[in-house]
Amino acid sequence: MDRILIVIPVYNEEKNIRRVILDIQKNFNSADIIAVNDMSTDNTVKELDAMGINHLDLPFNMGYAGALQAGLKYATRNGYNFVVQFDGDGQHLAKEIGKLYKQITTNKSDIVIGSRFKINTDYPHPLFRKIGSWIFSLLIRLTCRKKITDPTSGFQILSRRVFTEYSEMFNYPQFPDANLIIKMLLHEYKIEEIPVEMRKREHGESMHTGLIAPMKYMIKIFYSILIIILTFKFNNPKGEGGSDV
Amino acid sequence: MYRIFFAFFGIAAILYIFIKVKKNKFSESRSIFWVLGGIAIFFLSIFPKTIDKISAVLGINHPPSLLFLLASIFIIYSIFKLEEEITITKEQLKDLAHKNAILENKLIKQSNNEKNK
């Protein structure tokens, strides 16, 4: 029996977390849950304690990636076989975890991404998000010859090989999106995508709001991709590697 | 007169760094760089013609600009070194914080188990 850990990075999610946990307990109860509290200033921890949910408490705010990496380290240390990255804001649906798990075990993949774009869902896409995803998709296709429709999706299942690598990674990216997918594809990890349904967040703000923050985000991701590709080319000058479609 | 002032300034800088190192408020390895800077100030204030000579060799028309160039290189290099240290320290701090959170979690679980026994 595979041991699955659902990692939920949370920051000030007192209004969402209860619903998220109940959803998981109802629709995918064969996995363990670890919430990573990224120094929330509201009642998130109280909610977690009240529900008896196992959680890590970071001593200072580290952002999404820092919290996620803490959960991955926990998974590595406690011998889990798979990790599901799950958002604490209610965007991801627990009934879709089963699909990700089935896909990763039957195809022996390393990463399975839940995509909002593979089929038309009623998930509302802001224009900027759409353009961003399209550009990153194109970049992945150009560099790795692989079609990934939703590179910014945080809803993923990772094999032990992958999350062990992530947890030991120096400079784990601040935004683990298209850049990390390109890195893993270049190193010949098997990445797949399946269509999933997602919900719009009900309370709180996304980390990509406003005008300046998304611009900074785009620049950082582009730069990160550039570094990844240059590092790879430098280490493999003959141009080996790259995954096939 | 200004030569004595700057020579004194160089010595004072070296002494200041030495005292900081002695009191364990500045790391020995990082202080080398700054002591060398102090020695350079001291040396150049006693033998200011050195700058003129080096400028002549390098073909620099205006010798003081060489001084500014050297000072800029010194400052940029030291900022770069600082950034490097910050990157490594931040990453180490993050790892420690992660490990701390995991250990704390383990400890709480253990004490809860003991309470339930």
Side-chain angles (χ1 to χ4, degrees):
Chain A
M1 185 61 198
D2 287 326
R3 292 182 66 216
I4 309 169
L5 181 71
I6 300 177
V7 176
I8 315 174
V10 285
Y11 175 68
N12 290 354
E13 298 285 6
E14 61 177 6
K15 288 186 178 123
N16 296 311
I17 192 66
R18 180 169 286 269
R19 198 162 44 89
V20 170
I21 301 289
L22 288 176
D23 179 32
I24 295 171
Q25 285 172 340
K26 192 177 156 209
N27 294 309
F28 199 82
N29 59 8
S30 55
D32 292 340
I33 299 173
I34 185 111
V36 186
N37 167 35
D38 193 11
M39 202 48 200
S40 296
T41 50
D42 63 358
N43 290 320
T44 306
V45 179
K46 277 187 189 160
E47 282 285 317
L48 290 170
D49 283 334
M51 300 186 85
I53 294 301
N54 191 14
H55 59 90
L56 299 178
D57 292 294
L58 300 179
F60 49 86
N61 185 274
M62 291 187 196
Y64 173 79
L68 182 63
Q69 207 187 12
L72 300 179
K73 280 180 191 169
Y74 179 89
T76 310
R77 287 186 164 207
N78 291 286
Y80 284 93
N81 305 97
F82 295 101
V83 161
V84 177
Q85 297 175 195
F86 205 82
D87 280 3
D89 58 10
Q91 273 194 72
H92 301 158
L93 303 174
K95 65 175 169 119
E96 306 283 8
I97 298 175
K99 290 187 199 165
L100 294 182
Y101 175 61
K102 203 175 156 202
Q103 186 75 14
I104 202 166
T105 44
T106 47
N107 280 11
K108 296 218 167 8
S109 327
D110 292 301
I111 303 172
V112 176
I113 304 169
S115 165
R116 289 159 282 191
F117 299 107
K118 238 182 164 183
I119 46 163
N120 285 325
T121 55
D122 54 0
Y123 182 84
H125 306 290
L127 185 67
F128 175 78
R129 259 320 253 284
K130 242 181 189 170
I131 297 170
S133 291
W134 184 81
I135 294 172
F136 291 137
S137 265
L138 187 72
L139 267 176
I140 295 172
R141 219 159 50 228
L142 290 175
T143 52
C144 308
R145 286 167 281 149
K146 174 100 187 167
K147 195 177 175 199
I148 300 286
T149 58
D150 193 358
T152 60
S153 169
F155 189 35
Q156 303 182 359
I157 187 165
L158 314 173
S159 70
R160 184 166 175 85
R161 194 159 79 104
V162 172
F163 67 74
T164 308
E165 168 136 9
Y166 284 178
S167 62
E168 288 163 359
M169 201 179 265
F170 182 83
N171 264 335
Y172 182 73
Q174 186 188 359
F175 302 110
D177 288 336
N179 43 355
L180 205 53
I181 293 175
I182 289 179
K183 184 172 184 147
M184 298 316 266
L185 281 173
L186 286 174
H187 289 94
E188 301 190 349
Y189 283 83
K190 193 175 172 190
I191 304 183
E192 288 185 289
E193 237 187 355
I194 56 163
V196 294
E197 209 184 302
M198 279 194 205
R199 212 171 13 207
K200 194 174 179 274
R201 59 183 293 138
E202 283 173 13
H203 300 283
E205 281 218 323
S206 150
M207 55 182 170
H208 304 301
T209 43
L211 195 70
I212 303 295
M215 299 256 273
K216 270 192 186 164
Y217 164 80
M218 287 294 263
I219 292 169
K220 279 186 174 167
I221 298 269
F222 276 126
Y223 182 72
S224 176
I225 291 174
L226 187 72
I227 298 269
I228 284 165
I229 292 171
L230 288 178
T231 310
F232 182 76
K233 295 268 183 222
F234 192 77
N235 292 336
N236 305 273
K238 282 173 193 161
E240 301 153 11
S243 174
D244 290 318
V245 179
Chain B
M1 186 61 203
Y2 74 94
R3 281 167 65 172
I4 297 165
F5 173 75
F6 282 107
F8 182 75
F9 182 76
I11 291 175
I14 294 167
L15 275 178
Y16 180 73
I17 296 157
F18 176 71
I19 291 166
K20 283 277 172 194
V21 174
K22 202 170 72 100
K23 284 185 178 169
N24 285 329
K25 284 185 174 171
F26 198 56
S27 90
E28 201 178 295
S29 59
R30 289 191 66 84
S31 70
I32 297 172
F33 181 66
W34 292 98
V35 168
L36 287 177
I39 291 172
I41 292 172
F42 179 72
F43 182 83
L44 290 178
S45 53
I46 299 210
F47 308 105
K49 289 274 178 275
T50 335
I51 283 288
D52 296 346
K53 278 175 193 157
I54 299 171
S55 301
V57 172
L58 293 175
I60 295 167
N61 290 329
H62 186 55
S65 55
L66 176 66
L67 210 57
F68 280 103
L69 176 72
L70 291 177
S72 307
I73 291 172
F74 182 84
I75 291 166
I76 291 170
Y77 179 76
S78 65
I79 293 174
F80 185 78
K81 275 283 159 194
L82 267 181
E83 291 258 6
E84 194 180 281
E85 291 268 328
I86 290 171
T87 309
I88 294 167
T89 311
K90 249 182 133 171
E91 199 66 23
Q92 288 168 337
L93 178 67
K94 188 177 82 176
D95 192 48
L96 270 179
H98 285 162
K99 282 181 179 149
N100 177 69
I102 292 169
L103 283 176
E104 194 182 48
N105 173 276
K106 203 172 167 183
L107 218 66
I108 291 170
K109 265 194 230 161
Q110 265 173 8
S111 70
N112 284 348
N113 282 346
E114 275 165 25
K115 266 184 218 163
N116 292 339
K117 266 179 195 172

